[in-house]
Amino acid sequence: MELLSGGEMLIRALHDEGVELLFGYPGGAALHIYDAIFNQDKVDHILVRHEQAATHAADGYARATGKPGVVLVTSGPGATNAITGIATAFMDSIPMVVISGQVDSSLIGTDGFQETDMVGVSRPIVKHSFMVQRAEEIPEIVKKAFYIATTGRPGPVVIDIPKDVTDPARKVKYQYPDSVKMRSYSVPSKGHTGQIKKAVEILLAAKRPVIYAGGGVIQGNGSELLTELARMLGYPVTNTLMGLGAYPGTDEQFLGMLGMHGTYEANMAMHFSDVVLGIGVRFDDRVTNAVNKFCPGAKILHVDIDPASISKTVTADVPIVGSVSTVLEEMIDLIKQSDSQVDSKSLELWWQQIEGWREKECLKVEASTDDSIKPQQVVQAVYKATGGNAYVSSDVGQHQMFAAQYYVFDKPRRWINSGGLGTMGFGFPAAVGVQLAYPDAVSVCITGEGSIQMCIQELATCMQYALPIKIVCLNNQALGMVKQWQDMQYGGRHSHSTYSESLPDFVKLMEAYGHVGIRIDKLSELDEKMAEAFAIKDKLVFIDVSVDATEHVYPMAIKGGSMKDMYLSKTERT
Amino acid sequence: MRHIISILLENEPGALSRVVGLFSQRNYNIESLTVAPTEDHSLSRLTITTIGDDRKIEQITKHLNKLIDVVKLVDLTEGSHVERELMLIKVKASGAQRAEIKRTTDIFRGQIIDVTPTVYSIQLSGTSDKLDSFIAALGNAAVLEVARTGVTGISRGDKVLSL
Ligand SMILES: Cc1ncc(C[n+]2csc(CCOP(=O)(O)OP(=O)(O)O)c2C)c(N)n1
Ligand SMILES: [Mg+2]
């Protein structure tokens, strides 16, 4: 057996685990590990410019590829800077392993230089964490960390390693385990067959069914099966913000996104349904609106891998704990074997009703008459320029909702956004992770001038690694979503949500980094300039688009109401 | 309703803080908590009493089960069970009160485990209600100090909580 130091073991174990890419930032407590990275060429390391960006980049990488994202940071400030990104990944169940350096074991608990109790600080936002005590434990802990991060309901795992454990002078025997056994951790796989049968019966007898699918379908690689099931039944499908792309967005059966800024037809269909099949969803408050008014006439069938997500907010009539894909497979088989048929008469009537709702055209954009640009039109232009084939990350705000509503996703893992935590600053570093995972793909970040400034330092990372990301900034010179709430709920008092006098010249800023900046402010030039920007294949391009700052995101759920209660425009409500 | 949840937990550093953290993080309350290693030293047994409706208790047990360090758990209050709490209590005992306190202790089947001319230290075990009643029964005797362990319990009959 080979003799390796703790630092060498860690990097070797990552390689043996199949890790190709690390996102990180060095510092004292992690220097033995960084030296081990220097002395090998199997695992690549991407030097970001802020540890928050390391976690978001690893997160974007994970969302786009389905593989775990890996982060390496130093102790103290390095570790605490990573916290926002860990919380973001936790809320959206993203597989991630975060390795943090720690002060020497002998210094722990002494308020040593750059000492932070990382295991303690991260505890509520990780799936699990490890504190390594001896170098000998490293292979097994790494194996366990990846196993936990990637199985069941995925999530971030922290490995905190004191510096002395990675000491290059102390070498121990290295062997990477083939498998892990943990008596206290088991992964639910197949759902309960009796429950699935019951669900299928109810589903087949439905008169006004809706399939409500979320991020779990993407995480659980169940998109194709979901599509097969929905097409077999001919039932309408809606996706959550996290689930966009789980079902093809251009399909006739797709009603669009549901929830707070969901489409009129999706929210109406949910409200008036008699059976809701929730798959890989968690009945989030941004979807349900007031829980006690949620889908009053519907039987709820709920499939999720996490038992704690079931009947947490909305009680399920048929709970099914299991991996989305095995449950979907079983459902499809049962439907094929079943003697019962879909109630096609009722279904036809149901579709007629849905078509009526669709006629409202809730996402229709009225072009301005003065050549100014509506933010929605920018997203439409990006869709055109990329043929709908891009990986689109976004930040948080109005631009995020416009991106979700107007960029139509036909494939899973293309829409990369912080749905659960709503982290401004996520989009750009996430696009870095996507671009590194898929160097030849188009990686776009749709952002706002507020959000982009939260991780803008990553322009330097893109310079270093020549990443040709496209940043589309819906520049409304304001924290638009905050301003919208202030317009609607605070009598238009824009408390600290505007800063039009103090915005940087983004085009000049791009020049400073050797990137390309393009400004667009006329509707008549939008498509052409957008196409020009996307034609630049080898450079980062920042497309700064001046948009109508008065625009609000609609539809918008009316607080305290049911799903059918929505504002449809500044003057119209349901 | 009051529930007693008994947990077999990996005897690892940080495991207990994850359990306690879960309760504060999710706004569940802990009435009492006891923990000690079991006959298998890789495991601790932890007993928590908490209060909540069925829905809340279901969430609590689901979330506890999700913790990687939790190996197994049981809600003892779902079946018939035995529960015990141990109390050590120090009371001022002088003059006529000494006999009175001794009698009350005997009635509750407690033991006086330490004596000074003015103070009795008493040990008593039983259900939490019994311990409460004992304190009430002491009447106007001055209670100087109370140390209670919190509830631990075990289910009756053949049912066991083990690996
Ligand atoms: C880190 C963080 N801080 C604050 C918020 C609250 N917040 C939500 S949207 C928003 C405004 C975002 O502004 P911008 O990026 O310009 O997007 P816009 O809404 O204008 O499109 C703010 C401040 C948040 N989501 N994340
Ligand atoms: Mg803005």
Side-chain angles (χ1 to χ4, degrees), chain A residues 289-328:
Chain A
N289 209 355
V291 169
N292 58 343
K293 298 177 188 162
F294 177 73
C295 298
K299 282 217 168 75
I300 309 288
L301 321 174
H302 190 181
V303 183
D304 201 274
I305 197 152
D306 177 13
S309 284
I310 291 180
S311 298
K312 180 175 63 177
T313 55
V314 170
T315 308
D317 294 289
V318 185
I320 301 171
V321 179
S323 89
V324 158
S325 44
T326 56
V327 174
L328 280 169

Side-chain angles (χ1 to χ4, degrees), chain A residues 129 183-184 306-307 310 315, chain B residues 10 18 42 55 62 66 68:
Chain A
S129 49
R183 61 183 175 183
S184 56
D306 177 13
I310 291 180
T315 308
Chain B
E10 294 286 3
R18 279 189 246 274
S42 68
R55 197 188 176 90
K62 279 175 169 178
K66 273 176 73 175
I68 310 288

Side-chain angles (χ1 to χ4, degrees), chain A residues 482-508:
Chain A
V482 171
K483 195 163 141 263
Q484 172 169 347
W485 282 51
Q486 289 169 337
D487 285 337
M488 296 172 79
Q489 294 169 26
Y490 297 91
R493 295 181 296 281
H494 295 161
S495 179
H496 296 273
S497 56
T498 57
Y499 39 46
S500 56
E501 310 300 302
S502 51
L503 281 168
D505 182 332
F506 287 113
V507 173
K508 278 205 185 122

